Amino acid sequence: MVSLLETPIEFLKGVGPLRGTLLRKELGIHKYGHLLNFYPNRYIDRTRYYKINELQNNVAEVQIIGKIINIKTVEFGKNQKRLVATFVDDTGQMELVWFQGIKWIRESLKLNEMCVVFGKCTSFNNTFNMAHPEIELMTEHQQSLRSAMQPVYPSTETLANRGISNRVINKMMQQLFLETQAVFSETLPNYLNNELKLIPKNEALFNIHFPKSAEALAKAQFRLKFEELFYIQLQLISKNLIRKHKIKGHPFTKVGTYFNDFYQNHLPFELTNAQKRVVKEIRADMGSNAQMNRLLQGDVGSGKTIVALMSMLIALDNGFQSCLMAPTEILANQHFNGLNELAKDLNINIKLLTGSTKIANRRIIHEELENGSLHILIGTHALLEDKVKFKNLGLAVIDEQHRFGVEQRSKLWKKSSPNPSETAESVPPHILVMTATPIPRTLAMSLYGDLDISVIDELPPGRKPIQTVHRFDSNRLKVWKFIRDEIALGRQIYIVYPLIEESKTMDLKDLMDGYESISRDFPLPDYSISILHGKMKPADKEAEMKRFAEGKTNIMVATTVIEVGVNIPNASVMIIESAERFGLSQLHQLRGRVGRGAEQSYCILMTSHKLSDDSKTRMETMVRTNDGFEIAEVDLKLRGPGDLMGTQQSGVLNLQIADIVRDRDILILARNYALQILKDDAPMQKPENVVLRATYIELTKKKNIWNYIS
């Protein structure tokens, strides 16, 4: 059967070269197999036939049996025509209307023959009409491979204009099932089908395209969704197991002086239980013979940096160097200051390397790296330069990794390679990826299913939850009064304006207008204001940040440049202008810029009165909860997995039938079964797994999701 499914689509009866080209270009359907796996996105109940006198002005599609008794072309507007047919049944009459393809449709209409029309009805001048209906002669209608639930396939404007309607795709599907005799090979092992009561593959494919009933459709959907998610999980988990088996890591067996001294004598506060659990997981990983590849998720301010430092101290106890790579200079500087402060009594050599590092300092860094006297190097992309060579890099920590490409990350891997003259085999460093963007569990299982995941899900003690309120522009005077009161108490304020790439000029104008009106409302010498935006030179940005950090200015007016990693404990109020223009995770990240000190902090979301339903949901969610994971789940529901990961990864989860938000339970079930099977038979070589192995090998030949992942 596989070979028949490889047949080019134009060879299917009723397709041909022209339609074949369109199907390829518009829907990515190149072969019979692609058409078979082109699933409907909704279904319409076609069991009921309406009478004309039962029609109502609504959006639902209806089908009516009757006949056409008259056809005419009506001219309207400038050089425009429409085709109008009078359609009758035994209860009344209505009009069928076409605006496009008039010549072709007129030739195909038959007068006074019983037929079935199907489409949406609207009422105009007390007469019902149906625009661009599907029409089928009663004789054809009774013979066709018809199901109670009529499938509706995804389409495009081009296909609709070229006459490839839903009915045409339906006919192609019928032809495909005739030519293949509806016999398709089973892709899941018998024990799995029996245990989960899954219907056979043949039955599932037939009922997804021609469902006999709502119940049969539900069983088909469950079977196909499970299979799709199961094979993705099988791939990801296999990849993880293979890496652990094949890719050796440095075994850090010692937990020695550096780690113990820090833990016993210099910890600034008691670790939370979540931090202790994560440190334990990392210790176990680095102590094995395999390379660690762990994703550390923790909300803003949950204490990821201290976990990173403790991991680096384990590397140091075992005689290895570490590095930490951050996406921006501001963030790299902050990590450098934070780690230096934590490790100040440990006699460790920590240095910072960014684009701004002076040449003389770079020389020292390069020298100390190669002779091993530099223990920890923190930096930006500058760490990836060829000149940067470590004596023995044992741990690489990557912060906010979605901002780095795959190539950049693999460059970091090679930094631990011995000199070409040495014959020793290259052992890659352990990798710890950190993110403050909470990733919903379902997405993490699919996108990072090949990484081990640790989560810090509690905030350090003494942190007060940030209070969030939503205010309309009409409340601005009250908000300004609140700011004055906070400044009088010695606090500092952020006011952030949106930045959307397409309209940089407009956004800069928004920011500058905002800055001017704030300067009028908070005049010198009583108040001092900083400004920060992407068009400024790095040195100017640095100077403005410094003034704000040192408390020389009360208000920082900025674009989202400050979203990641600015740590100013004295800033207690975050005002987000036009908050409706931000995504949920971005609002949550911005809110995390305050609440860093012991004082109560506030986040004020300013919007206009006109809000879409999604915007209202975002504002309500922000006000209701500070939990980043809950926010990420809502964000995933609103935006879908593609948008959530940003454009460079939006194609990652191009699933054919499953939906990782709606089908979360099936995803968890599929992952558990994949784990269980691989634990028992990793190479999939037991007799009962023959089908599994064959399907798995077939799937890995095709470029699919796993090529994109970490």
Side-chain angles (χ1 to χ4, degrees):
M1 179 43 55
V2 170
S3 55
L4 189 53
L5 292 179
E6 291 293 312
T7 312
I9 196 65
E10 56 267 31
F11 291 107
L12 186 72
K13 191 179 171 196
V15 177
L18 274 175
R19 278 182 171 174
T21 306
L22 273 172
L23 290 173
R24 275 196 174 88
K25 198 170 154 202
E26 295 294 310
L27 300 173
I29 295 174
H30 297 255
K31 300 171 183 173
Y32 280 25
H34 294 140
L35 182 62
L36 182 67
N37 294 321
F38 181 60
Y39 301 123
N41 53 7
R42 63 193 181 94
Y43 297 84
I44 297 155
D45 184 355
R46 294 284 292 254
T47 52
R48 181 170 176 198
Y49 296 92
Y50 284 76
K51 294 287 187 186
I52 290 175
N53 67 355
E54 294 177 316
L55 295 178
Q56 290 177 348
N57 199 9
N58 66 13
V59 290
E61 285 117 331
V62 294
Q63 58 184 354
I64 311 159
I65 299 173
K67 56 187 177 186
I68 292 171
I69 55 167
N70 179 35
I71 305 168
K72 61 182 178 186
T73 305
V74 179
E75 294 200 2
F76 68 102
K78 202 177 175 187
N79 304 330
Q80 287 179 301
K81 290 178 183 176
R82 66 172 177 262
L83 186 65
V84 181
T86 308
F87 181 78
V88 299
D89 70 359
D90 53 5
T91 69
Q93 72 173 41
M94 63 182 292
E95 289 183 342
L96 309 178
V97 189
W98 292 267
F99 298 94
Q100 286 165 334
I102 291 174
K103 182 174 174 288
W104 174 74
I105 288 162
R106 183 163 198 148
E107 286 167 12
S108 66
L109 294 179
K110 297 199 167 33
L111 284 171
N112 299 313
E113 284 199 40
M114 292 307 284
C115 60
V116 179
V117 299
F118 173 77
K120 284 183 185 174
C121 283
T122 49
S123 170
F124 183 69
N125 286 344
N126 292 333
T127 304
F128 275 98
N129 60 62
M130 194 183 275
H132 286 265
E134 283 184 24
I135 298 187
E136 204 171 20
L137 288 175
M138 199 61 193
T139 46
E140 284 177 22
H141 184 75
Q142 284 159 341
Q143 284 167 4
S144 66
L145 191 53
R146 181 151 303 284
S147 57
M149 312 289 290
Q150 174 76 33
V152 179
Y153 293 92
S155 188
T156 66
E157 206 177 321
T158 307
L159 290 178
N161 291 343
R162 298 288 187 86
I164 300 184
S165 63
N166 194 58
R167 188 163 148 250
V168 169
I169 289 181
N170 209 304
K171 278 198 156 161
M172 288 176 189
M173 208 61 84
Q174 291 182 33
Q175 186 58 34
L176 178 71
F177 274 75
L178 283 172
E179 287 189 27
T180 55
Q181 297 175 335
V183 178
F184 308 107
S185 27
E186 184 50 71
T187 45
L188 289 174
N190 288 337
Y191 65 86
L192 208 52
N193 287 339
N194 296 339
E195 214 172 303
L196 288 163
K197 297 186 175 63
L198 299 174
I199 60 172
K201 179 83 174 212
N202 274 343
E203 209 181 308
L205 286 168
F206 186 85
N207 277 296
I208 205 81
H209 294 294
F210 311 105
K212 294 180 182 133
S213 65
E215 190 192 356
L217 174 63
K219 283 182 176 170
Q221 286 174 323
F222 183 80
R223 151 77 211 225
L224 294 170
K225 286 176 176 185
F226 175 84
E227 181 182 329
E228 181 168 42
L229 294 168
F230 170 76
Y231 275 108
I232 286 176
Q233 292 305 321
L234 205 64
Q235 300 256 6
L236 291 169
I237 297 162
S238 288
K239 194 175 162 190
N240 195 354
L241 291 173
I242 288 166
R243 188 182 51 231
K244 284 184 175 168
H245 196 66
K246 275 194 181 165
I247 303 182
K248 296 280 175 269
H250 302 288
F252 293 167
T253 48
K254 253 175 39 189
V255 175
T257 320
Y258 283 114
F259 183 93
N260 290 326
D261 180 27
F262 178 73
Y263 189 70
Q264 285 153 17
N265 308 317
H266 305 296
L267 258 186
F269 47 78
E270 174 76 16
L271 292 185
T272 63
N273 288 331
Q275 285 172 315
K276 285 178 187 167
R277 184 186 67 236
V278 170
V279 170
K280 224 182 208 158
E281 289 167 349
I282 291 170
R283 272 175 62 173
D285 273 4
M286 297 202 301
S288 76
N289 277 321
Q291 181 210 23
M292 170 172 82
N293 230 8
R294 192 166 277 281
L295 172 70
L296 174 57
Q297 283 185 260
D299 227 331
V300 174
S302 62
K304 294 184 296 297
T305 312
I306 206 159
V307 169
L309 173 66
M310 291 171 84
S311 310
M312 290 169 169
L313 295 179
I314 294 175
L316 201 48
D317 277 332
N318 287 273
F320 282 88
Q321 298 163 302
S322 301
C323 70
L324 190 159
M325 184 162 80
T328 63
E329 283 206 17
I330 289 177
L331 198 47
N333 268 306
Q334 193 175 302
H335 278 305
F336 176 67
N337 296 332
L339 289 178
N340 252 335
E341 179 57 33
L342 286 168
K344 60 177 187 278
D345 302 322
L346 294 179
N347 192 22
I348 294 178
N349 184 2
I350 305 178
K351 290 228 160 58
L352 175 71
L353 178 65
T354 68
S356 315
T357 307
K358 297 197 164 61
I359 291 177
N361 291 345
R362 277 173 190 257
R363 283 202 192 107
I364 296 168
I365 288 172
H366 293 158
E367 205 173 298
E368 290 184 353
L369 265 189
E370 290 193 52
N371 68 29
S373 60
L374 178 52
H375 303 129
I376 296 173
L377 179 61
I378 294 162
T380 53
H381 294 75
L383 296 189
L384 302 173
E385 290 166 6
D386 293 337
K387 284 183 189 148
V388 179
K389 290 190 179 71
F390 290 79
K391 182 182 182 189
N392 54 359
L393 178 62
L395 171 67
V397 182
I398 302 173
D399 197 17
E400 296 300 340
Q401 74 125 22
H402 55 276
R403 296 181 176 220
F404 296 104
V406 177
E407 280 172 43
Q408 293 172 316
R409 298 200 294 270
S410 65
K411 247 185 165 177
L412 202 51
W413 262 46
K414 298 188 181 97
K415 293 286 178 186
S416 67
S417 303
N419 295 329
S421 57
E422 295 174 27
T423 51
E425 188 192 345
S426 155
V427 178
H430 293 293
I431 302 279
L432 180 66
V433 169
M434 301 198 298
T435 179
T437 310
I439 303 161
R441 189 168 167 223
T442 35
L443 200 58
M445 276 194 279
S446 307
L447 279 169
Y448 299 108
D450 62 331
L451 293 179
D452 298 306
I453 297 177
S454 292
V455 178
I456 302 181
D457 48 12
E458 51 184 316
L459 287 179
R463 285 276 173 100
K464 291 180 182 162
I466 299 162
Q467 284 185 20
T468 304
V469 292
H470 172 210
R471 296 285 180 263
F472 293 110
D473 291 335
S474 50
N475 303 114
R476 192 169 293 279
L477 289 174
K478 282 185 179 166
V479 173
W480 269 195
K481 181 186 181 309
F482 175 69
I483 294 179
R484 287 193 186 95
D485 294 346
E486 283 291 298
I487 292 173
L489 293 170
R491 318 259 191 275
Q492 288 168 287
I493 319 290
Y494 289 112
I495 302 178
V496 176
Y497 284 81
L499 179 72
I500 294 168
E501 289 302 316
E502 305 88 272
S503 54
K504 268 193 175 153
T505 47
M506 187 178 101
D507 285 316
L508 202 56
K509 183 179 178 303
D510 278 0
L511 180 81
M512 297 320 286
D513 288 353
Y515 176 69
E516 280 170 22
S517 74
I518 292 162
S519 302
R520 281 195 297 275
D521 290 335
F522 296 88
L524 286 162
D526 300 340
Y527 301 97
S528 178
I529 303 169
S530 286
I531 187 164
L532 194 66
H533 58 80
K535 289 245 170 83
M536 290 163 69
K537 294 190 176 97
D540 296 342
K541 278 189 206 169
E542 207 63 46
E544 285 292 281
M545 274 310 311
K546 202 171 169 211
R547 283 176 64 211
F548 190 62
E550 289 168 357
K552 291 176 182 166
T553 56
N554 317 102
I555 299 173
M556 162 71 76
V557 178
T559 57
T560 48
V561 175
I562 60 147
E563 178 189 341
V564 172
V566 180
N567 188 14
I568 294 167
N570 191 45
S572 65
V573 182
M574 165 62 71
I575 294 176
I576 303 174
E577 294 285 352
S578 307
E580 72 272 20
R581 284 172 67 188
F582 291 89
L584 252 180
S585 58
Q586 208 178 16
L587 290 170
H588 180 62
Q589 286 274 356
L590 286 167
R591 172 166 63 187
R593 298 296 115 233
V594 294
R596 302 238 155 181
E599 305 303 333
Q600 177 62 58
S601 289
Y602 305 89
C603 174
I604 302 172
L605 307 169
M606 302 293 296
T607 70
S608 62
H609 277 279
K610 272 188 193 165
L611 289 181
S612 68
D613 288 347
D614 278 4
S615 297
K616 283 180 189 152
T617 306
R618 289 203 294 269
M619 299 308 126
E620 283 158 11
T621 306
M622 285 293 293
V623 171
R624 186 185 78 246
T625 181
N626 279 310
D627 179 343
F629 288 93
E630 192 184 331
I631 285 167
E633 289 287 352
V634 176
D635 205 18
L636 184 60
K637 280 181 187 138
L638 288 176
R639 292 162 64 189
D643 291 336
L644 205 61
M645 294 315 296
T647 46
Q648 80 281 19
Q649 291 177 327
S650 60
V652 167
L653 285 180
N654 211 346
L655 300 177
Q656 286 174 311
I657 190 164
D659 174 310
I660 63 164
V661 183
R662 285 198 296 270
D663 301 321
R664 182 176 180 212
D665 295 347
I666 306 178
L667 172 63
I668 293 167
L669 184 73
R671 185 167 177 85
N672 289 340
Y673 269 95
L675 275 165
Q676 209 175 306
I677 288 168
L678 290 171
K679 212 173 179 180
D680 176 53
D681 178 23
M684 295 177 263
Q685 278 170 340
K686 287 188 175 177
E688 63 267 34
N689 286 329
V690 169
V691 168
L692 202 63
R693 186 175 167 80
T695 310
Y696 179 84
I697 289 167
E698 198 52 44
L699 277 172
T700 41
K701 284 180 193 166
K702 296 175 180 156
K703 184 173 164 59
N704 225 320
I705 174 174
W706 16 96
N707 294 35
Y708 296 103
I709 293 176
S710 47

